[in-house]
Amino acid sequence: MIQVVLSRLTHVAGVVIVLFFGGTLRGGESIHLHSKQITFGPKNHFFGYIGHVQNIPWNGGGRYILAMRTSFQDHLPDASEPADIILIDTKKQYEVTKIAETRAWNPQQGTMFYWNPEAPSTQFFFNDRDPNSGRVFCVLFDLSKPEGKRRIREFRFENTPFGNSGVAQQGGAFLGINYGRLDWLRRVTGYKGAYDWARGVRHPDYDGIFKVDTATGDSRLLVSFKTLADLLRPEISEIEHTALFINHTLWNREGDRIFFFVRGNFGNRDTRINASFVMDASGGNLTRMKQHIGGHPEWDYGHRMIGREKDRQILFDTDRQQVVGQLATPEVIPDPEGDISLSPDGDWFVNGYKDRAAASNFYVVYRRSDGASVRSSGYSIGSWLSGDLRQDPSPCWNRDSNQLLVPGLATDGKSRQLFIITVETGP
């Protein structure tokens, strides 16, 4: 086995193309990563959320990439500062077209874009909010409809105005959380100034994780903060004085299991609550995870997850509640706590991690079928290393499992832009 890492920077027709060559060689074959910047300033372009649970920026046909465009990146937006929703045409030299706007977004997670699994070529979900009331809602948008009629459904709930926090991978439903509560308790993932119907209440029994049937529009509360606080109370004495919030509601591939974090006091490491749970898609069999497997886990097939244990990228069986395997080695994946994503075909895995000294994000691409791997060169993030405006690695696979969409600063260091990493194999 020979490890090779080379890099070259070139400019073609005004487009910056970075070619990386390297990988763990197998029978004369290696993995090659070719990187191309596809958006340009002065405005910022980004997708937002990590591409775990098959959250794919490309539409069903692969022609269009869904993204956002903003004129600033130096503060959290409020309802008076909408972002453009754009399509990037991969067949027309990545031409950008604005198709809508949203008033519910943040730099880290965007507006929670998800192409609709039941109509992935033309329909997608995103979050928005009423500029007057601040109430958040989810939108189903259809590209095949004429201008002015493309918002085919708005999922508005007057008393509990939550936004989408995760679409079932096979479609038919999405999960919802209170982004106004996150503005209060975890601003990096919230919407500034959004309405919170339970503000100031530590463990409300009328807020938590909601589930929406996308066909009927009906919603129900799967699990409440009160239920979660009751479960955590015996082991966490601080629970009585800690307001809880929820992050990362993740459906598994088969659609029968949901993972999520329950958190509190996130600004204080000494009293921080960071508990993970799994439950059935109906809200049943709610189970406290016996082991913490990192801040950005991903679903494998079935009830197994990919996460972190110390310096290892592990496979964790949520039924048996134990580690059942490992991906690569710490030498291949130096930071298993990074943003991770499993390709649609299940063979390719990417770990995006931040190197603070280099002020850059790096990506390790790993092939599960034979253990071959390669590490990219860095994508600059400048001073956006931490805090509410940080630029996370957030890698996202395409539908053919051979390209990644990643963010990075433009060469002038002034704007956030999008890059495509193409994964190729060969001699």
Side-chain angles (χ1 to χ4, degrees):
M1 306 289 277
I2 304 173
Q3 183 70 26
V4 180
V5 178
L6 300 171
S7 68
R8 183 168 79 243
L9 176 65
T10 186
H11 298 260
V12 179
V15 177
V16 178
I17 303 177
V18 187
L19 304 179
F20 309 115
F21 305 88
T24 303
L25 306 183
R26 178 199 63 174
E29 182 185 76
S30 61
I31 305 173
H32 305 263
L33 302 182
H34 304 269
S35 178
K36 182 174 184 177
Q37 183 178 336
I38 64 167
T39 62
F40 299 88
K43 291 191 175 181
N44 305 281
H45 300 82
F46 60 99
F47 178 74
Y49 207 26
I50 308 168
H52 51 14
V53 294
Q54 296 196 77
N55 188 14
I56 300 170
W58 284 260
N59 76 329
R63 176 167 182 171
Y64 298 108
I65 295 173
L66 190 59
M68 296 176 60
R69 182 175 64 190
T70 68
S71 60
F72 62 89
Q73 61 168 323
D74 61 349
H75 63 274
L76 289 173
D78 59 29
S80 68
E81 298 174 297
D84 295 337
I85 295 175
I86 62 171
L87 289 180
I88 303 171
D89 192 337
T90 66
K91 302 298 185 183
K92 290 186 176 181
Q93 299 181 332
Y94 303 101
E95 178 181 274
V96 172
T97 301
K98 177 182 175 180
I99 56 172
E101 291 185 351
T102 175
R103 296 177 183 273
W105 64 280
N106 59 54
Q108 190 196 50
Q109 295 183 347
T111 185
M112 296 301 289
F113 282 135
Y114 277 81
W115 287 99
N116 183 5
E118 297 182 314
S121 293
T122 62
Q123 294 182 4
F124 62 88
F125 297 94
F126 68 93
N127 288 336
D128 203 353
R129 64 171 148 177
D130 186 291
N132 298 315
S133 68
R135 283 174 163 80
V136 174
F137 56 93
C138 178
V139 176
L140 180 58
F141 196 89
D142 194 326
L143 297 173
S144 67
K145 303 299 181 184
E147 292 286 349
K149 297 183 179 180
R150 291 183 167 183
R151 289 191 179 216
I152 61 173
R153 186 156 204 169
E154 293 182 344
F155 299 91
R156 294 179 181 250
F157 304 98
E158 186 68 17
N159 295 326
T160 57
F162 55 81
N164 164 47
S165 64
V167 175
Q169 293 193 42
Q170 296 183 7
F174 69 83
L175 301 173
I177 58 175
N178 181 353
Y179 286 90
R181 188 174 185 86
L182 291 174
D183 177 45
W184 168 37
L185 297 170
R186 181 69 167 148
R187 294 188 66 194
V188 66
T189 55
Y191 302 146
K192 183 179 178 181
Y195 176 77
D196 176 8
W197 65 93
R199 191 168 186 91
V201 182
R202 296 189 182 97
H203 316 134
D205 61 3
Y206 45 91
D207 191 6
I209 298 176
F210 296 83
K211 179 181 177 181
V212 177
D213 183 312
T214 56
T216 66
D218 294 335
S219 75
R220 67 185 186 91
L221 184 64
L222 292 184
V223 60
S224 72
F225 284 108
K226 181 181 185 304
T227 296
L228 295 168
D230 290 343
L231 288 172
L232 292 172
R233 187 170 288 108
E235 61 175 290
I236 302 175
S237 60
E238 295 88 356
I239 200 76
E240 295 298 340
H241 310 289
T242 304
L244 301 177
F245 63 93
I246 289 168
N247 278 148
H248 300 305
T249 57
L250 308 177
W251 295 83
N252 69 343
R253 292 193 169 212
E254 295 76 12
D256 66 343
R257 189 65 67 92
I258 295 165
F259 169 93
F260 61 96
F261 284 110
V262 178
R263 293 170 165 172
N265 280 344
F266 230 61
N268 188 330
R269 292 189 176 275
D270 294 332
T271 60
R272 174 180 294 183
I273 295 173
N274 194 18
S276 51
F277 286 82
V278 290
M279 64 181 176
D280 294 344
S282 63
N285 293 318
L286 180 65
T287 303
R288 165 81 149 96
M289 295 270 281
K290 293 182 179 179
Q291 181 172 334
H292 180 75
I293 59 170
H296 301 102
E298 159 75 302
W299 280 106
D300 194 2
Y301 290 96
H303 295 167
R304 295 196 315 180
M305 299 196 77
I306 304 171
R308 176 189 65 86
E309 181 185 61
K310 297 180 180 178
D311 63 348
R312 300 191 301 154
Q313 199 84 72
I314 60 167
L315 298 175
F316 188 85
D317 189 306
T318 62
D319 291 335
R320 296 160 59 186
Q321 288 289 303
Q322 65 184 45
V323 177
V324 294
Q326 179 176 329
L327 296 183
T329 65
E331 289 72 30
V332 172
I333 300 177
D335 183 6
E337 179 73 10
D339 290 356
I340 63 176
S341 178
L342 184 64
S343 64
D345 68 6
D347 192 25
W348 294 93
F349 171 81
V350 61
N351 174 297
Y353 65 95
K354 189 175 300 180
D355 185 322
R356 292 179 178 275
S360 297
N361 290 327
F362 291 80
Y363 300 89
V364 175
V365 177
Y366 174 79
R367 184 165 52 195
R368 301 178 72 184
S369 55
D370 63 358
S373 65
V374 65
R375 188 180 306 175
S376 78
S377 291
Y379 290 77
S380 173
I381 56 177
S383 61
W384 310 105
L385 295 171
S386 60
D388 294 340
L389 304 175
R390 68 179 185 265
Q391 185 166 296
D392 288 342
S394 55
C396 300
W397 286 102
N398 71 346
R399 296 179 187 275
D400 293 329
S401 303
N402 61 7
Q403 289 187 323
L404 291 159
L405 188 72
V406 302
L409 287 186
T411 54
D412 62 7
K414 295 181 179 180
S415 61
R416 302 187 189 200
Q417 303 301 336
L418 289 168
F419 299 76
I420 289 180
I421 300 175
T422 299
V423 182
E424 295 182 352
T425 58

